[in-house]
Amino acid sequence: MTKKQFVLLTLIGVSLLSNISNLVAQTPEWSESKRKKGIQVLTRPFAGSNLDEFLGRTEVDASISQIIALLTDPASCKNLYHQCKELTVLSGTEKKSVVYLRNGAPWPVNDRDLIMDRSFEQNEKTLVTIMKIKRLDSNARPTPSGVTRMENFEGVWRIIPQTNGKLKIEYQAHFEPGGSVPQSVINLVLTDTPYESLLNVQKLVEEGKHKDTKFDWIKEPTKN
């Protein structure tokens, strides 16, 4: 390698490291908004939006299949997801489907709805399992009168096996509600949505709901 080539490679390396450092520096830090009953809720600014994204965390003693069953149960709209008024699978399979969602809102704010893609994947080594949900630009289900269709929604539920035999459950999402929504309502949604949903997960696990459910496409961690 010539001296000129060495200098060129060094400059490229320094430039790459600088760009990586800038990207890391630009990532906003999470700020804790709530911690109660074994649930932590964090928020942080979301690039290009006036609304923060949220992240809720908790731990439960359950199987991965049980959590998936709770998240996909048709009754989950009523007993798990906060403010949910309707959750209907329009098409697809257990692992990938198109879903209609309608969420309630305090008067005088309109309810919000959207059609979204819902999919599951599991890491073969870590067994971390995620449910991705993302708004689809679709008219497969018309918006009812008096309801506003959300401009954007993207979220993920993470099911993370822990060394203590439990599962860490994370619910992270960002949304653009569309229309006019008071900031006070937005602030409530950012904290109440992950908190109440995870609190319901805790309750349903304690009640043994779907405890014996198994999915043949899910690998469970080995119990010590």
Side-chain angles (χ1 to χ4, degrees), residues 55-188:
L55 170 62
R57 293 172 173 159
T58 193
E59 282 193 6
V60 293
D61 188 2
S63 68
I64 296 175
S65 290
Q66 181 182 10
I67 299 302
I68 292 174
L70 291 174
L71 294 176
T72 57
D73 186 343
S76 63
C77 178
K78 179 179 70 174
N79 58 24
L80 193 156
Y81 297 111
H82 184 55
Q83 297 286 18
C84 181
K85 284 191 172 181
E86 183 181 349
L87 184 65
T88 303
V89 177
L90 302 179
S91 63
T93 63
E94 285 180 344
K95 293 183 68 175
K96 186 173 178 60
S97 56
V98 175
V99 181
Y100 173 80
L101 172 70
R102 176 174 173 175
N103 271 2
W107 186 89
V109 179
N110 286 348
D111 288 355
R112 259 51 182 182
D113 77 344
L114 75 155
I115 296 171
M116 60 186 182
D117 176 80
R118 182 176 74 184
S119 62
F120 286 92
E121 59 184 58
Q122 183 179 46
N123 185 293
E124 294 182 359
K125 294 183 178 180
T126 65
L127 303 187
V128 172
T129 306
I130 62 174
M131 181 179 84
K132 293 181 179 179
I133 42 181
K134 186 174 183 178
R135 180 189 182 278
L136 289 176
D137 187 11
S138 168
N139 292 316
R141 180 76 174 269
T143 299
S145 175
V147 177
T148 300
R149 181 137 295 180
M150 296 180 69
E151 294 179 356
N152 194 28
F153 181 89
E154 187 168 359
V156 59
W157 283 79
R158 301 184 189 90
I159 307 168
I160 309 168
Q162 303 294 290
T163 55
N164 61 5
K166 294 185 177 182
L167 298 176
K168 178 188 286 186
I169 310 297
E170 294 186 343
Y171 177 25
Q172 180 177 346
H174 174 261
F175 62 93
E176 296 290 344
S180 177
V181 182
Q183 188 61 45
S184 58
V185 173
I186 293 293
N187 292 339
L188 282 176

